[in-house]
């Protein structure tokens, strides 16, 4: 296994950003064209580009499923182009994939080989990016992921309110590009392809109600165009025990299978 810590200057953000990459060392190419499938993995609001590496078994899963993993850091940006701050959505959705695939040409840029997933704010982020760029990802795996447009905003002078204004301003974000349901409807109309969507939340998650609103949106769509699957984990909350379990369920949902005999040292 190769674990690479990359420091790249982002033209979009005007600053240096850190990205962690896991590359399985394979006996032979995973895909017929010699390119590796890629999982873009997003952290939560209180995490960073090391969270998945430190708190989950993602390195082992990368080896077992034969998939490269890219884990960017985005500070407390909520994966959006901030009203008062950096354009983090543009960085993650547009700039980062081009730079990483240029620096690591063994990674596939084909839609069928790319998946995006995340937990908490990263769960919102992977839906935000994946629904806005349906031509880039075969599947989305969102864990503990509510829609920010469903959260009532009270400009009460609190730190929470100030953070929200930095991200989204002080107005409603309903029917904007920060509204997941709006993005989902827009993709249905404008995109020739749609990502599959796996969504999961723990039954003890304090924001279960927000996840249920997202679930209700997808299940209301006639014909299940996103091949949407929802899993509620009984007795689990907003925890790494749950997210570590769900990333495996997502990889299986996305059609990846364990093939440990492919890898060196197994």
């Amino acid at each position: 296994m190769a674990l690479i810590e990359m420091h790249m200057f982002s033209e979009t953000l005007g600053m240096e950003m850190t990205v962690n990459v896991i590359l399985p060392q394979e006996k032979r190419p995973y895909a017929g064209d010699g390119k590796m499938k890629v999982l873009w993995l997003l952290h939560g609001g209180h995490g960073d580009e090391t969270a998945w590496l430190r708190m989950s078994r993602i390195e082992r899963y990368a080896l077992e499923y034969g998939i490269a993993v890219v884990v960017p850091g985005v500070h407390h940006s909520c994966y959006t182009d901030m009203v008062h701050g950096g354009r983090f959505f543009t960085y993650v959705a547009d700039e980062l994939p081009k730079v990483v695939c240029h620096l690591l040409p063994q990674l596939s840029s084909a839609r069928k080989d790319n998946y995006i997933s995340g937990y908490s704010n990263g769960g919102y982020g992977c839906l935000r990016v994946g629904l806005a760029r349906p031509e880039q990802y075969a599947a989305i795996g969102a864990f503990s992921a509510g829609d920010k447009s469903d959260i009532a905003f009270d400009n009460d002078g609190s730190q929470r309110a100030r953070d929200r204004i930095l991200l989204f301003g002080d107005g409603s974000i309903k029917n904007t590009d920060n509204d997941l349901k709006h993005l989902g409807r827009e993709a249905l109309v404008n995109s020739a392809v749609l990502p599959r969507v796996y969504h999961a939340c723990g039954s003890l998650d304090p924001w279960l109600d927000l996840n249920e609103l997202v679930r209700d949106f997808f299940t209301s769509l006639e014909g299940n165009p996103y091949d949407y699957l929802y899993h509620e984990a009984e007795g689990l909350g907003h925890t790494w025990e749950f997210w570590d379990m769900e990333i495996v369920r997502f990889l299986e949902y996305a059609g990846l299978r364990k093939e440990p005999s492919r890898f060196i040292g197994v």
Side-chain angles (χ1 to χ4, degrees):
M1 295 291 290
L3 176 59
I4 304 169
E5 183 180 282
M6 299 171 55
H7 298 269
M8 55 167 280
F9 182 80
S10 166
E11 298 288 347
T12 300
L13 298 171
M15 61 182 172
E16 186 177 272
M17 300 297 293
T18 304
V19 185
N20 284 313
V21 181
I22 301 170
L23 292 178
Q25 293 169 260
E26 301 172 311
K27 292 180 180 178
R28 56 192 174 94
Y30 185 88
D33 59 1
K35 300 286 188 175
M36 297 187 68
K37 295 175 181 282
V38 186
L39 172 64
W40 302 85
L41 207 49
L42 309 185
H43 64 77
H46 296 289
D48 60 18
E49 67 279 355
T50 69
W52 276 103
L53 305 181
R54 291 181 293 112
M55 301 300 292
S56 79
R57 289 171 284 189
I58 191 60
E59 188 172 7
R60 193 183 82 186
Y61 304 148
L63 179 67
E64 291 175 342
Y65 288 88
I67 189 168
V69 180
V70 181
V71 193
V74 298
H75 308 301
H76 193 55
S77 68
C78 220
Y79 302 89
T80 191
D81 285 348
M82 300 170 65
V83 172
H84 304 286
R87 294 186 296 142
F88 285 90
F89 166 79
T90 301
Y91 165 68
V92 172
D94 300 328
E95 182 183 23
L96 183 64
K98 292 177 182 177
V99 173
V100 171
C101 288
H102 172 73
L103 294 175
L104 300 170
Q106 65 267 56
L107 302 188
S108 174
S109 59
R111 177 182 181 272
K112 65 181 179 64
D113 296 331
N114 280 263
Y115 315 88
I116 189 166
S117 184
Y119 71 90
S120 193
N121 273 4
Y124 167 80
C126 70
L127 285 166
R128 170 76 176 85
V129 174
L131 292 174
R133 297 290 184 271
E135 72 284 354
Q136 292 181 196
Y137 304 98
I140 301 169
F143 317 140
S144 307
D147 187 346
K148 301 299 181 184
S149 72
D150 291 324
I151 300 175
F153 173 58
D154 179 13
N155 192 358
D156 59 4
S158 65
Q159 184 61 53
R160 181 183 181 88
R162 291 194 293 271
D163 289 344
R164 198 273 193 185
I165 291 170
L166 288 176
L167 293 170
F168 305 117
D170 58 2
S172 172
I173 61 172
K174 287 284 187 183
N175 297 315
T176 72
D177 285 346
N178 290 312
D179 178 342
L180 299 181
K181 293 178 283 297
H182 170 75
L183 290 173
R185 290 188 293 267
E186 287 288 297
L188 283 175
V189 174
N190 298 320
S191 179
V193 292
L194 297 172
R196 302 173 68 208
V197 176
Y198 177 82
H199 180 203
C201 190
S203 67
L204 302 182
D205 194 297
W207 297 283
L208 177 61
D209 57 336
L210 294 175
N211 284 259
E212 290 173 336
L213 291 173
V214 174
R215 176 203 63 192
D216 292 347
F217 164 73
F218 280 105
T219 56
S220 73
L221 299 175
E222 184 177 356
N224 194 12
Y226 288 97
D227 194 22
Y228 177 78
L229 179 64
Y230 179 75
H231 175 238
E232 186 172 304
E234 189 64 34
L236 293 178
H238 208 77
T239 65
W240 276 105
E241 179 186 6
F242 168 66
W243 301 321
D244 191 48
M245 175 183 75
E246 289 302 325
I247 192 62
V248 174
R249 294 177 67 95
F250 170 59
L251 293 174
E252 295 285 337
Y253 165 85
L256 296 165
R257 297 292 180 264
K258 288 184 180 181
E259 296 190 64
S261 62
R262 288 183 182 270
F263 304 108
I264 295 171
V266 177

